[in-house]
Amino acid sequence: QVPNIVKALHKQLKEKSIKSRQGCFSLLTELANVLPGCLADHVPALIPGIVFSLADKSSSSNMRIDTLSFLHVLLCNHQPEVFHPHIKSLLPPVVTCIGDPFYKITSEALLVTQQLVKVIRPLDKSCTFDAKPYVKDLFPGTLKRLKAADIDQEVKERAISCMGQIIYNLGDHLSTDLQPTLKVFLERLKNEITRLTTVKALTSIASSPLKIDLRPILGEGFPILASFLRKNQRALKLSTLTALDILVKNYSDSLKPAMIESVLTELPALITENDMHVSQVAVMFLTTLAQVYPSCISKISGSVLAEILQLIHSPLLQGGALNAIIDFFHALVLTKAAPVGYAELLKQLTAPIYCSGAAAAPTLHKQAYYSVAKCVAALSSACPREAPATVNQFIQDVKTPKSSSAVKVLAFLSLAEMGRTTNLSAQRELKTVILEAFTSSSEEVKSAASYALGNVSVGNLKEYLPFMLKEIGSQPKRQYLLLHSLKEVISASPADGLKPYVEDIWALLFKHCECTEEGTRNVVAECLGKLTLVNPSELLPRLKNQLPSGSPHARSTVVTAVKFTIADQPQPIDALLKGCIG
């Protein structure tokens, strides 16, 4: 259809009637949006019509805006090389529109220019097109708009973004014009109305592979950025943290300790459970600092660490923010200049749980135990020499009758997190200690022990999985907890590692799918569903074959198992499931 449509529109793009041309561009815009890349072969036919509508003196302002809007969509949805033969004819009318007195035309033209810069010189792939001759067309018109004081807010912002893009992609062709332009960015940074857009543009420039020289504005710019972290504008805080992060990574040799310290004093206030995303980005920035400026971390560790520990002990911590903290601990403990070492960090992390018997100690939420355990594992993986002693300590905690159930839960969860990535089979007592905990009077301890057995098995399937399968077969009283351990193994192990054991696990699960306990059947179903994902083409038909089973319990288990094969993200099983459902 597309060639026929373009053929029909091609002549009308040069008609006198503005209504017809607007209709053509409207249709083409939809086409380019719906089928990205579909107009690649037809660009030569469309360019004359675009240039005509932009340059035609009788065109209304709406006509020009529609044309620019279509050109922007066209540039965004097609490969750069498609346009290279036409840059010479496209650029002059677009640059003329940047200077148009009507602010809406200027604004659209700046948006198109920003995209054209990416097309003229794409930095993410090799390109033979020579962009240098076009810099003298692009730069002065954009600079004039960037400097103008009395223009519309949208034009101001787009001029900043467009110039940011020009410096990102073509900064090495600007020679003596570069520094004065960066000085204008510094002025825009000081202005409340334009500061957010400028921070984003500077982030882009700082991440350019061309290694743009930002030294002349860093001395004045860094403290200004630091002051933004105090402002009440959330978007500004987040963008500023991202900008500071990229500046520290790429310009570390140009930053003075005083500049870093001006930022450090602002960070503790940003780490709070009231805004997990801001906390996450702040902790990621701290991790960068720990890696690039280890010496500066000693100055802040007290106040920042207190806030981070408070966050770890919060019931709200999870996902990205938790992962950021885990990375931070990993980096911190490897920092030679850090004032707190492995032992001290471990003590501070676990203190609230070890003191939980004391009257004044706060009781932690269940989620906090998982967070602390993950951080303990991060410290141990960074300091493998210290890990065996820590594992022994946890085993002793579990064995000691005096230990509170909170301490035992933490010990099992920490062993689980450590065991998932390191082989703990050298700890001979571990199996016995876990199985003994299955008879504990505390449900939390039993559940944590089950979680530990599953995750420790992931670290060494050969040693632990046959042992676990044997126990499931011979210990009816512990079956429910052992099946939960098996579920952890199936969920967390790589498919290749599990393949040798699939047949044994499959046979075992089907032995228990008619169990009278509904709870047990549900765990069996989850195990079956997740196991099917290991080899869907073979196991899904086998699961389906069990549907005519005489036992209603078995049938319901199979149907429930299918539920666990349906995941949020696309999976290889999806195509096969279509044939089974419906």
Side-chain angles (χ1 to χ4, degrees), residues 107 135 150 171 185 251 286 429 526 534:
S107 174
V135 177
D150 56 344
F185 273 110
Y251 295 85
L286 271 169
E429 293 179 282
E526 190 169 346
V534 173

Side-chain angles (χ1 to χ4, degrees), residues 404-460:
S404 67
S405 56
V407 167
K408 289 182 177 176
V409 167
L410 175 70
F412 278 130
L413 294 180
S414 302
L415 288 167
E417 296 300 335
M418 292 160 85
R420 190 182 313 145
T421 50
T422 46
N423 184 350
L424 296 185
S425 57
Q427 303 290 339
R428 289 283 153 228
E429 293 179 282
L430 198 52
K431 289 178 189 166
T432 330
V433 167
I434 290 175
L435 291 178
E436 277 171 7
F438 282 5
T439 58
S440 165
S441 55
S442 156
E443 286 300 322
E444 273 81 17
V445 172
K446 284 201 259 195
S447 169
S450 162
Y451 182 75
L453 179 59
N455 282 287
V456 167
S457 303
V458 174
N460 185 355

Side-chain angles (χ1 to χ4, degrees), residues 446-514:
K446 284 201 259 195
S447 169
S450 162
Y451 182 75
L453 179 59
N455 282 287
V456 167
S457 303
V458 174
N460 185 355
L461 287 174
K462 205 162 136 190
E463 166 91 11
Y464 284 94
L465 192 55
F467 161 75
M468 190 194 297
L469 296 177
K470 188 172 137 237
E471 287 289 316
I472 294 173
S474 61
Q475 300 287 344
K477 284 189 178 164
R478 298 175 181 169
Q479 213 168 62
Y480 180 71
L481 290 166
L482 287 160
L483 284 165
H484 268 286
S485 304
L486 182 60
K487 181 188 81 181
E488 289 298 328
V489 175
I490 296 170
S491 305
S493 297
D496 292 345
L498 267 182
K499 274 187 177 157
Y501 307 100
V502 167
E503 287 305 322
D504 295 344
I505 301 174
W506 188 267
L508 183 83
L509 290 171
F510 270 104
K511 264 188 201 155
H512 294 100
C513 70
E514 296 180 29

Side-chain angles (χ1 to χ4, degrees), residues 211-356:
K211 308 260 183 292
I212 306 297
D213 183 11
L214 289 175
R215 280 173 304 187
I217 63 163
L218 284 180
E220 202 179 334
F222 220 79
I224 297 173
L225 288 171
S227 71
F228 291 166
L229 297 177
R230 243 172 290 152
K231 303 289 185 228
N232 212 2
Q233 193 184 347
R234 186 170 182 267
L236 182 66
K237 277 184 200 167
L238 285 166
S239 296
T240 302
L241 283 167
T242 309
L244 289 167
D245 192 68
I246 205 88
L247 284 168
V248 167
K249 277 179 184 157
N250 293 350
Y251 295 85
S252 56
D253 50 352
S254 313
L255 301 175
K256 301 197 168 48
M259 292 154 89
I260 299 292
E261 280 163 40
S262 67
V263 174
L264 288 177
T265 50
E266 308 296 341
L267 289 174
L270 298 179
I271 299 168
T272 144
E273 66 176 12
N274 299 337
D275 191 328
M276 280 299 179
H277 189 51
V278 170
S279 299
Q280 176 182 337
V281 182
V283 173
M284 285 159 79
F285 175 50
L286 271 169
T287 308
T288 301
L289 284 176
Q291 290 161 342
V292 180
Y293 293 108
S295 54
C296 75
I297 287 291
S298 55
K299 298 197 168 104
I300 50 129
S301 60
S303 49
V304 158
L305 207 53
E307 296 299 339
I308 289 180
L309 288 165
Q310 208 166 347
L311 204 55
I312 292 170
H313 300 141
S314 154
L316 304 175
L317 182 69
Q318 56 177 328
L322 175 56
N323 290 336
I325 288 178
I326 290 169
D327 290 343
F328 172 68
F329 272 124
H330 202 280
L332 183 64
V333 83
L334 291 174
T335 302
K336 296 289 173 275
V340 280
Y342 176 88
E344 181 56 29
L345 277 173
L346 198 62
K347 190 176 157 193
Q348 291 189 21
L349 262 175
T350 56
I353 295 160
Y354 281 100
C355 306
S356 58

